[in-house]
Amino acid sequence: MIDMQGVYKTYPNGVTALNGLDVKIDQGEFVYVVGPSGAGKSTFTKLIYREEKPTKGTVKVIDYDLYSMKERKVPKLRRQIGVVYQDFRLLPQLTVYENVAFALEVIEENPNNIRRRVMDVLDQVRLKNKARFIPDELSGGEQQRVSIARAIVNHPKILIADEPTGNLDPDTSWEIMHILEEINEGGTTVLMATHSKEIVNTIRKRVIAIEDGMIARDEMKGDYGYEF
Ligand code: ADP
Ligand code: ADP
């Protein structure tokens, strides 16, 4: 599903964020990405949905070679990858329903199918009863659930969550984790960058630690491994 070999990324300002990174992730895995700030975690996840291109090395995601792929195929790749951010990034003037429907790639679907698909994902994140609310009327956890619904409405093969619980209290964080686990059980590969020692050490999954732009540690049912 994701295969990176000898990946380097140097930004135009000369900062090298990835420094010979090798990693393989199979379809259906749940992977935590941990490591100190500035280690290269965001750059690693940005390469996967091709927000950034590698300076050197092989990056294969789904069936695409991201180094040589044509620009015009990027939207097709992105449609198969859902992304969830720490700060939700919802459109404030749209309702919950509209935020999710807006993200739906509509290819000749009739309006009833669109409505059903949006309501199905809202049901999955247990927000069907708040479809008409706007983000300001929701708690942080509810807003994050809307952003998850938006990320999965196209049934992506990969879900990337960049510190999805970073702005949430502990109870709400566990709720979000259970939703991410359910999505993973449905077959979606989940990559979650996190600084939550408690979550990583409680819900045990594969742990990839990135330090200085390289994989410092890669363990099945791994430990968070840091004191911060
Ligand atoms: P992390 O997510 O682990 O905090 P990042 O991938 O964001 O790490 O950053 C790795 C390094 O790359 C840091 O030194 C950061 O300052 C630098 N960096 C990240 N994005 C950019 C960018 N767009 N331009 C220049 N430098 C960047
Ligand atoms: P149920 O299947 O449980 O009956 P509904 O179809 O009544 O659910 O929808 C649940 C919520 O979503 C309701 O608040 C409804 O008004 C709202 N909703 C449904 N479709 C739309 C739409 N197209 N635009 C905005 N809100 C909608």
Side-chain angles (χ1 to χ4, degrees), residues 71-83:
E71 249 357 277
R72 65 182 161 79
K73 290 204 166 157
V74 171
K76 209 173 160 194
L77 166 80
R78 294 211 177 123
R79 222 171 282 152
Q80 300 181 64
I81 302 173
V83 186

PDB file of all heavy atoms in Angstrom, residues 71-83:
ATOM      1  N   GLU A  71       1.209  14.842 -13.197  1.00  0.00           N
ATOM      2  CA  GLU A  71       0.459  15.814 -12.372  1.00  0.00           C
ATOM      3  C   GLU A  71      -1.057  15.585 -12.477  1.00  0.00           C
ATOM      4  O   GLU A  71      -1.776  15.673 -11.501  1.00  0.00           O
ATOM      5  CB  GLU A  71       0.743  17.216 -12.882  1.00  0.00           C
ATOM      6  CG  GLU A  71       1.555  18.176 -12.041  1.00  0.00           C
ATOM      7  CD  GLU A  71       2.023  17.784 -10.664  1.00  0.00           C
ATOM      8  OE1 GLU A  71       1.207  17.934  -9.726  1.00  0.00           O
ATOM      9  OE2 GLU A  71       3.178  17.367 -10.503  1.00  0.00           O
ATOM     10  N   ARG A  72      -1.524  15.274 -13.682  1.00  0.00           N
ATOM     11  CA  ARG A  72      -2.975  15.133 -13.901  1.00  0.00           C
ATOM     12  C   ARG A  72      -3.557  13.931 -13.182  1.00  0.00           C
ATOM     13  O   ARG A  72      -4.778  13.817 -13.058  1.00  0.00           O
ATOM     14  CB  ARG A  72      -3.306  15.120 -15.393  1.00  0.00           C
ATOM     15  CG  ARG A  72      -2.764  13.930 -16.145  1.00  0.00           C
ATOM     16  CD  ARG A  72      -3.086  13.993 -17.644  1.00  0.00           C
ATOM     17  NE  ARG A  72      -2.198  13.115 -18.381  1.00  0.00           N
ATOM     18  CZ  ARG A  72      -2.348  11.795 -18.455  1.00  0.00           C
ATOM     19  NH1 ARG A  72      -3.362  11.226 -17.831  1.00  0.00           N
ATOM     20  NH2 ARG A  72      -1.490  11.059 -19.126  1.00  0.00           N
ATOM     21  N   LYS A  73      -2.701  13.003 -12.714  1.00  0.00           N
ATOM     22  CA  LYS A  73      -3.213  11.841 -11.985  1.00  0.00           C
ATOM     23  C   LYS A  73      -3.273  12.061 -10.465  1.00  0.00           C
ATOM     24  O   LYS A  73      -3.808  11.227  -9.734  1.00  0.00           O
ATOM     25  CB  LYS A  73      -2.363  10.610 -12.289  1.00  0.00           C
ATOM     26  CG  LYS A  73      -2.546  10.124 -13.707  1.00  0.00           C
ATOM     27  CD  LYS A  73      -2.221   8.658 -13.860  1.00  0.00           C
ATOM     28  CE  LYS A  73      -2.728   8.126 -15.181  1.00  0.00           C
ATOM     29  NZ  LYS A  73      -1.995   6.930 -15.605  1.00  0.00           N
ATOM     30  N   VAL A  74      -2.725  13.190 -10.013  1.00  0.00           N
ATOM     31  CA  VAL A  74      -2.692  13.462  -8.575  1.00  0.00           C
ATOM     32  C   VAL A  74      -4.096  13.477  -7.940  1.00  0.00           C
ATOM     33  O   VAL A  74      -4.297  12.869  -6.885  1.00  0.00           O
ATOM     34  CB  VAL A  74      -1.878  14.748  -8.274  1.00  0.00           C
ATOM     35  CG1 VAL A  74      -2.017  15.151  -6.814  1.00  0.00           C
ATOM     36  CG2 VAL A  74      -0.407  14.534  -8.626  1.00  0.00           C
ATOM     37  N   PRO A  75      -5.087  14.126  -8.580  1.00  0.00           N
ATOM     38  CA  PRO A  75      -6.427  14.102  -7.967  1.00  0.00           C
ATOM     39  C   PRO A  75      -6.970  12.689  -7.766  1.00  0.00           C
ATOM     40  O   PRO A  75      -7.652  12.414  -6.779  1.00  0.00           O
ATOM     41  CB  PRO A  75      -7.293  14.881  -8.965  1.00  0.00           C
ATOM     42  CG  PRO A  75      -6.325  15.737  -9.719  1.00  0.00           C
ATOM     43  CD  PRO A  75      -5.038  14.971  -9.781  1.00  0.00           C
ATOM     44  N   LYS A  76      -6.655  11.792  -8.711  1.00  0.00           N
ATOM     45  CA  LYS A  76      -7.120  10.413  -8.614  1.00  0.00           C
ATOM     46  C   LYS A  76      -6.474   9.703  -7.414  1.00  0.00           C
ATOM     47  O   LYS A  76      -7.116   8.932  -6.708  1.00  0.00           O
ATOM     48  CB  LYS A  76      -6.778   9.668  -9.911  1.00  0.00           C
ATOM     49  CG  LYS A  76      -7.754   8.572 -10.207  1.00  0.00           C
ATOM     50  CD  LYS A  76      -7.511   7.964 -11.576  1.00  0.00           C
ATOM     51  CE  LYS A  76      -8.149   6.587 -11.619  1.00  0.00           C
ATOM     52  NZ  LYS A  76      -7.698   5.791 -12.759  1.00  0.00           N
ATOM     53  N   LEU A  77      -5.213   9.995  -7.179  1.00  0.00           N
ATOM     54  CA  LEU A  77      -4.523   9.460  -5.997  1.00  0.00           C
ATOM     55  C   LEU A  77      -5.177  10.007  -4.729  1.00  0.00           C
ATOM     56  O   LEU A  77      -5.523   9.262  -3.808  1.00  0.00           O
ATOM     57  CB  LEU A  77      -3.034   9.849  -6.031  1.00  0.00           C
ATOM     58  CG  LEU A  77      -2.291   9.654  -4.702  1.00  0.00           C
ATOM     59  CD1 LEU A  77      -1.904   8.188  -4.509  1.00  0.00           C
ATOM     60  CD2 LEU A  77      -1.056  10.536  -4.612  1.00  0.00           C
ATOM     61  N   ARG A  78      -5.375  11.333  -4.689  1.00  0.00           N
ATOM     62  CA  ARG A  78      -5.886  11.988  -3.466  1.00  0.00           C
ATOM     63  C   ARG A  78      -7.284  11.536  -3.107  1.00  0.00           C
ATOM     64  O   ARG A  78      -7.654  11.518  -1.937  1.00  0.00           O
ATOM     65  CB  ARG A  78      -5.858  13.510  -3.647  1.00  0.00           C
ATOM     66  CG  ARG A  78      -4.434  14.010  -3.766  1.00  0.00           C
ATOM     67  CD  ARG A  78      -4.281  15.406  -3.202  1.00  0.00           C
ATOM     68  NE  ARG A  78      -2.883  15.806  -3.275  1.00  0.00           N
ATOM     69  CZ  ARG A  78      -2.447  16.887  -3.892  1.00  0.00           C
ATOM     70  NH1 ARG A  78      -3.297  17.706  -4.485  1.00  0.00           N
ATOM     71  NH2 ARG A  78      -1.165  17.179  -3.916  1.00  0.00           N
ATOM     72  N   ARG A  79      -8.067  11.172  -4.122  1.00  0.00           N
ATOM     73  CA  ARG A  79      -9.410  10.676  -3.886  1.00  0.00           C
ATOM     74  C   ARG A  79      -9.379   9.377  -3.071  1.00  0.00           C
ATOM     75  O   ARG A  79     -10.355   9.006  -2.445  1.00  0.00           O
ATOM     76  CB  ARG A  79     -10.055  10.386  -5.240  1.00  0.00           C
ATOM     77  CG  ARG A  79     -11.463  10.819  -5.365  1.00  0.00           C
ATOM     78  CD  ARG A  79     -11.922  10.676  -6.806  1.00  0.00           C
ATOM     79  NE  ARG A  79     -11.439  11.744  -7.660  1.00  0.00           N
ATOM     80  CZ  ARG A  79     -11.226  11.623  -8.981  1.00  0.00           C
ATOM     81  NH1 ARG A  79     -11.402  10.479  -9.605  1.00  0.00           N
ATOM     82  NH2 ARG A  79     -10.810  12.665  -9.670  1.00  0.00           N
ATOM     83  N   GLN A  80      -8.248   8.679  -3.111  1.00  0.00           N
ATOM     84  CA  GLN A  80      -8.154   7.394  -2.417  1.00  0.00           C
ATOM     85  C   GLN A  80      -7.465   7.528  -1.060  1.00  0.00           C
ATOM     86  O   GLN A  80      -7.144   6.538  -0.417  1.00  0.00           O
ATOM     87  CB  GLN A  80      -7.392   6.403  -3.298  1.00  0.00           C
ATOM     88  CG  GLN A  80      -8.088   6.194  -4.629  1.00  0.00           C
ATOM     89  CD  GLN A  80      -7.364   5.204  -5.503  1.00  0.00           C
ATOM     90  OE1 GLN A  80      -7.249   4.053  -5.156  1.00  0.00           O
ATOM     91  NE2 GLN A  80      -6.831   5.684  -6.614  1.00  0.00           N
ATOM     92  N   ILE A  81      -7.214   8.784  -0.662  1.00  0.00           N
ATOM     93  CA  ILE A  81      -6.572   9.036   0.625  1.00  0.00           C
ATOM     94  C   ILE A  81      -7.386  10.075   1.390  1.00  0.00           C
ATOM     95  O   ILE A  81      -7.618  11.172   0.895  1.00  0.00           O
ATOM     96  CB  ILE A  81      -5.130   9.550   0.418  1.00  0.00           C
ATOM     97  CG1 ILE A  81      -4.315   8.531  -0.399  1.00  0.00           C
ATOM     98  CG2 ILE A  81      -4.453   9.830   1.767  1.00  0.00           C
ATOM     99  CD1 ILE A  81      -2.941   9.024  -0.794  1.00  0.00           C
ATOM    100  N   GLY A  82      -7.822   9.714   2.587  1.00  0.00           N
ATOM    101  CA  GLY A  82      -8.524  10.671   3.429  1.00  0.00           C
ATOM    102  C   GLY A  82      -7.542  11.274   4.418  1.00  0.00           C
ATOM    103  O   GLY A  82      -6.633  10.595   4.884  1.00  0.00           O
ATOM    104  N   VAL A  83      -7.726  12.571   4.736  1.00  0.00           N
ATOM    105  CA  VAL A  83      -6.818  13.219   5.682  1.00  0.00           C
ATOM    106  C   VAL A  83      -7.612  13.921   6.783  1.00  0.00           C
ATOM    107  O   VAL A  83      -8.600  14.610   6.507  1.00  0.00           O
ATOM    108  CB  VAL A  83      -5.893  14.243   4.969  1.00  0.00           C
ATOM    109  CG1 VAL A  83      -4.859  14.796   5.941  1.00  0.00           C
ATOM    110  CG2 VAL A  83      -5.188  13.608   3.778  1.00  0.00           C
TER     111      VAL A  83
END
